[in-house]
Amino acid sequence: MREIRGNAKNLRALLAGAKFAIDYYQREYRWATKQVAELIEDLAEKFRDDYEVGDPRSAVEDYGHYFLGSIIISDRDGRKFIIDGQQRLTTLTLLLIHIYLQLEDDEQKAQVADLIFSMKFGRRSFNLDVDERAACMEALFTGSPFEEAGQPESVANILLRFRDVTELFPSDLADAALPYFADWLIENVHLVEITAYSDADAYTIFETMNDRGLSLTPTDMLKGYLLANIEDPRRRNAANQLWRTQITRLQDLGKEEDADAIKAWLRSQHATSIRERKRGAAPRDFDRIGTEFHRWIREQEESLGLTSGAEFARFIEEDFSFYGRWYARLREAAETLTDGLESVRYCAEHNFTLQYPVLLAPLKREDREEDILRKLRVVSAFLDILISRRIWNWRAIGYSTMQYAMFLVMRDIRGRDASDLARTLEGRLAGETETFVTNDRFRLHGTNGRQIHRLLARMTDYVETQAGRASRYQEYVHRHGNQRYEVEHIWADHPERHTDEFSHPSDFSEYRNRIGGLLLLPKSFNASYGDLPYAEKRGHYLKHNLLAQSLHEKAYDRDPGFAGFAHSSGLPFKPHAEFLKADLDARQELYRQLAETVWNPERLARAAES
């Protein structure tokens, strides 16, 4: 090999003024929500180790440092081509853009901007200098609209992951703590930049560092430890075969699903403590299972009952087999709507990964399948209601915000039967201070567009199925052929049409974005009719879903199923010949009552009995 250099750099040193190219043969940007969530949570947890409200900004210099691994670069005539690390660098750039957009201090915004792009001849050039991504990155940085349809894979995924960043960024770091977190991220987070001066050398380094034959995962180490403690060779071989079969099934679900299944199982059944939220607090069961479950099990041999070879075998044959199998079924239900487990899918669409240990918590090996399904229906309904209420009240549902509360739920419902579960979880919902009643101004804002979309899809689908129509939920939330649904404003963005009721455009905009003024309609409709006055597009709503049709009096005459549902439900459906402020208020109340119906806690008792 020729000269190779390795330099540890913080983000400022790595990204300020840098330009990283990606060769055409490099893989696409493919990180998923899970990887983004893990990165953000890791960074947030490390920052919280030191941050305390009231610290001066200068204190950040003495906060702990965090190592994010290495990136491998091939330097060709002064141009840096990424061999390994573009997934992390792309995601870090998206995180920096989000932070930049949220910061209020112009000086600090400028410091962050320097790590995202440089200016030349009045044009922005981003640190990841890839032509096909430039327009997308420009739109994200400036908050401009960007057409998603037909984009290359990396561009489409960048758009999705930026939405994840905005949704998953911890709420406790979003306000007063944000300048501190930005300083810490820039100055105290480090990577090692390994630079070779030929592609051949760079790829040799890459292959050496990623040699899977030499790298044992926590799952591998746990397997070795458990099998080594089974003295009977025949039973050890049988346990080994069972382990391999189960792990293969889990790995078929996706990358690292085997480790995630083990974490969910151990947390659901055995975690009795969680780290306190204060400086210097030590990680406890819940946290250590998430980072080093193989070591945690070794230290918990006695409490886990691992006192003989037979018990080690049972731990694989019964516990791992049972909880791994049900984890796999839950992950499958999270990917595809499954009869009776629809709420698992709904929670997954909100990226609520904490649901799996909570869902597994009440399950017992001796449970019959019908009892297990009852328990899962109860718990998933509880989570669906809790998450939807929080979204309605602009409360975060990200991992860091929810993990402590979910740990408490998981611990309290461990091993309970379905009826007891329903009573306990209904009691928790009754104790919540925020419901659909507590926010009568729920509206669309900069970061909750996808959440609003899903809530509207659920409410629209509920109205249609209760009126006797087939469910179209999947169509509303996912692209259906060439058709894609999006949130439609009943009022076009023309404040001048409403000056008799709104003295300032900002007041009009706030009202226009309230959920009562929104519908879910095909994108083609929005493009064709969205800018029209209400009187001109009201008739066109009759061609679409029942929630849109309900604005028109003909909907109540043409569809006896809908008319019957509107009457029997007691929901305040009514047509609107015009759509003034009072009409939007009426729709806001309709949607609130509809949400209370869709996410009614009585679902839990029904699920326990079904």
Side-chain angles (χ1 to χ4, degrees):
M1 288 189 182
R2 288 162 284 278
E3 182 184 17
I4 295 172
R5 294 179 180 175
N7 295 311
K9 296 181 176 181
N10 62 17
L11 288 195
R12 182 190 296 279
L14 181 70
L15 297 177
K19 285 288 175 289
F20 295 101
I22 300 174
D23 266 327
Y24 66 91
Y25 53 79
Q26 279 283 322
R27 66 177 180 153
E28 304 289 341
Y29 173 63
R30 286 180 179 158
W31 262 21
T33 300
K34 174 183 170 183
Q35 285 76 41
V36 173
E38 289 174 349
L39 175 64
I40 291 175
E41 180 58 24
D42 287 348
L43 292 170
E45 283 298 314
K46 184 62 178 177
F47 171 75
R48 291 192 193 101
D49 284 346
D50 295 299
Y51 173 70
E52 284 190 1
V53 175
D55 279 352
R57 282 271 295 277
S58 58
V60 178
E61 185 175 1
D62 297 319
Y63 286 4
H65 291 249
Y66 186 73
F67 177 56
L68 257 183
S70 60
I71 63 170
I72 302 173
I73 303 298
S74 175
D75 190 317
R76 299 186 220 149
D77 301 321
R79 288 197 72 195
K80 295 183 175 183
F81 288 83
I82 300 175
I83 303 300
D84 183 47
Q86 70 132 327
Q87 309 292 323
R88 271 169 298 155
L89 288 184
T90 301
T91 308
L92 283 168
T93 300
L94 298 179
L95 177 59
L96 287 167
I97 291 174
H98 173 72
I99 290 171
Y100 171 87
L101 294 173
Q102 302 306 311
L103 285 169
E104 296 180 355
D105 179 80
D106 288 340
E107 184 175 325
Q108 194 175 29
K109 286 174 76 80
Q111 292 176 356
V112 175
D114 285 343
L115 311 188
I116 300 170
F117 68 90
S118 57
M119 294 290 292
K120 191 172 184 179
F121 301 121
R123 292 182 59 194
R124 260 184 283 272
S125 177
F126 289 88
N127 56 24
L128 286 181
D129 192 15
V130 183
D131 287 343
E132 76 170 15
R133 304 182 187 181
C136 166
M137 299 297 285
E138 178 75 16
L140 294 179
F141 184 79
T142 60
S144 304
F146 187 76
E147 176 54 55
E148 300 179 29
Q151 296 295 339
E153 180 182 351
S154 288
V155 173
N157 207 36
I158 283 171
L159 294 169
L160 293 173
R161 300 293 78 82
F162 184 72
R163 290 173 186 164
D164 288 340
V165 168
T166 61
E167 290 184 8
L168 295 168
F169 193 81
S171 57
D172 63 318
L173 305 186
D175 297 316
L178 186 61
Y180 296 77
F181 180 74
D183 286 343
W184 177 82
L185 180 68
I186 293 169
E187 304 294 350
N188 290 21
V189 173
H190 300 260
L191 297 96
V192 171
E193 183 184 59
I194 300 173
T195 304
Y197 292 86
S198 76
D199 279 358
D201 288 349
Y203 276 106
T204 298
I205 298 167
F206 172 74
E207 290 171 356
T208 301
M209 294 180 66
N210 290 277
D211 185 350
R212 295 186 180 273
L214 300 177
S215 178
L216 291 176
T217 67
T219 302
D220 295 327
M221 288 186 276
L222 176 60
K223 171 188 174 183
Y225 161 68
L226 295 176
L227 293 176
N229 281 278
I230 304 174
E231 298 94 347
D232 182 344
R234 294 175 63 181
R235 197 165 183 187
R236 183 170 60 242
N237 289 337
N240 180 41
Q241 185 57 48
L242 187 153
W243 181 280
R244 292 174 62 183
T245 301
Q246 185 86 299
I247 291 295
T248 298
R249 181 186 178 187
L250 291 166
Q251 289 175 338
D252 287 344
L253 294 172
K255 185 180 179 182
E256 298 179 4
E257 288 288 352
D258 54 334
D260 289 343
I262 294 170
K263 294 174 191 177
W265 155 41
L266 295 174
R267 282 172 164 171
S268 75
Q269 301 304 307
H270 302 293
T272 59
S273 58
I274 190 170
R275 176 184 180 178
E276 297 179 70
R277 286 296 180 89
K278 63 181 183 180
R279 179 182 290 185
R284 306 294 294 276
D285 291 343
F286 186 92
D287 318 287
R288 293 196 59 211
I289 290 170
T291 57
E292 49 180 5
F293 56 77
H294 56 300
R295 292 192 184 94
W296 181 85
I297 286 180
R298 295 185 69 155
E299 295 171 10
Q300 301 295 321
E301 274 187 0
E302 187 173 343
S303 64
L304 293 173
L306 300 176
T307 55
S308 67
E311 288 302 316
F312 278 92
R314 180 202 56 75
F315 200 61
I316 294 176
E317 296 165 351
E318 298 181 14
D319 291 24
F320 173 60
S321 176
F322 175 80
Y323 291 103
R325 184 170 69 254
W326 278 102
Y327 174 87
R329 286 186 63 170
L330 289 170
R331 288 293 296 117
E332 289 162 358
E335 296 298 322
T336 305
L337 275 176
T338 303
D339 188 32
L341 297 178
E342 294 88 351
S343 290
V344 177
R345 172 66 172 164
Y346 300 147
C347 291
E349 287 177 334
H350 286 298
N351 302 323
F352 193 67
T353 57
L354 280 164
Q355 70 169 320
Y356 303 109
V358 182
L359 288 164
L360 291 176
L363 307 193
K364 296 186 292 186
R365 295 195 313 271
E366 59 269 26
D367 286 340
R368 299 175 303 170
E369 178 155 336
E370 55 265 35
D371 294 326
I372 289 174
L373 291 172
R374 250 185 232 107
K375 292 180 180 184
L376 294 177
R377 286 194 290 270
V378 172
V379 179
S380 61
F382 163 76
L383 294 173
D384 180 30
I385 294 166
L386 179 68
I387 289 170
S388 300
R389 283 180 175 183
R390 289 184 66 87
I391 290 171
W392 194 277
N393 285 277
W394 296 317
R395 297 287 300 279
I397 60 170
Y399 187 94
S400 60
T401 303
M402 297 292 289
Q403 66 173 344
Y404 187 76
M406 291 300 99
F407 164 74
L408 295 178
V409 172
M410 177 193 73
R411 189 185 63 184
D412 291 349
I413 66 174
R414 194 170 282 155
R416 297 202 183 196
D417 63 34
S419 298
D420 194 12
L421 271 178
R423 286 191 297 270
T424 299
L425 295 177
E426 276 192 51
R428 280 190 168 271
L429 290 172
E432 291 288 323
T433 58
E434 292 179 326
T435 66
F436 298 104
V437 178
T438 52
N439 185 9
D440 60 1
R441 299 185 178 186
F442 181 48
R443 68 182 186 277
L444 180 70
H445 58 70
T447 60
N448 72 344
R450 283 202 294 176
Q451 294 176 335
I452 289 268
H453 187 132
R454 296 184 193 109
L455 296 187
L456 285 171
R458 293 284 300 284
M459 293 191 292
T460 303
D461 185 65
Y462 180 82
V463 171
E464 295 192 319
T465 54
Q466 293 299 305
R469 298 189 181 187
S471 173
R472 297 171 62 196
Y473 174 77
Q474 293 279 60
E475 180 180 340
Y476 295 146
V477 293
H478 300 290
R479 184 182 293 276
H480 183 70
N482 294 323
Q483 187 65 271
R484 180 163 60 87
Y485 282 76
E486 61 181 23
V487 175
E488 147 85 355
H489 288 81
I490 294 175
W491 283 343
D493 193 11
H494 287 284
E496 69 277 5
R497 296 176 183 170
H498 301 266
T499 53
D500 55 333
E501 293 194 299
F502 297 97
S503 59
H504 195 278
S506 62
D507 297 330
F508 164 77
S509 179
E510 190 276 335
Y511 238 87
R512 173 178 182 261
N513 281 307
R514 293 189 184 186
I515 193 169
L518 305 176
L519 297 166
L520 203 59
L521 294 172
K523 184 178 181 181
S524 57
F525 176 91
N526 205 9
S528 301
Y529 305 108
D531 204 45
L532 294 176
Y534 174 74
E536 295 183 34
K537 62 182 177 181
R538 189 171 75 108
H540 296 290
Y541 288 151
L542 288 170
K543 305 171 187 174
H544 299 284
N545 60 67
L546 273 177
L547 202 55
Q549 292 178 31
S550 67
L551 288 161
H552 202 288
E553 58 276 1
K554 289 183 179 179
Y556 302 81
D557 301 328
R558 291 181 176 179
D559 192 326
F562 170 60
F565 163 67
H567 175 73
S568 63
S569 68
L571 292 167
F573 280 100
K574 67 176 182 179
H576 295 268
E578 55 184 356
F579 208 73
L580 303 177
K581 186 177 180 181
D583 296 278
L584 198 150
D585 286 337
R587 289 286 284 192
Q588 187 84 1
E589 177 60 16
L590 167 65
Y591 281 19
R592 186 193 65 76
Q593 291 190 35
L594 181 55
E596 286 188 323
T597 304
V598 174
W599 292 283
N600 189 331
E602 292 177 4
R603 284 172 50 191
L604 277 63
R606 293 197 297 269
E609 296 168 0
S610 61

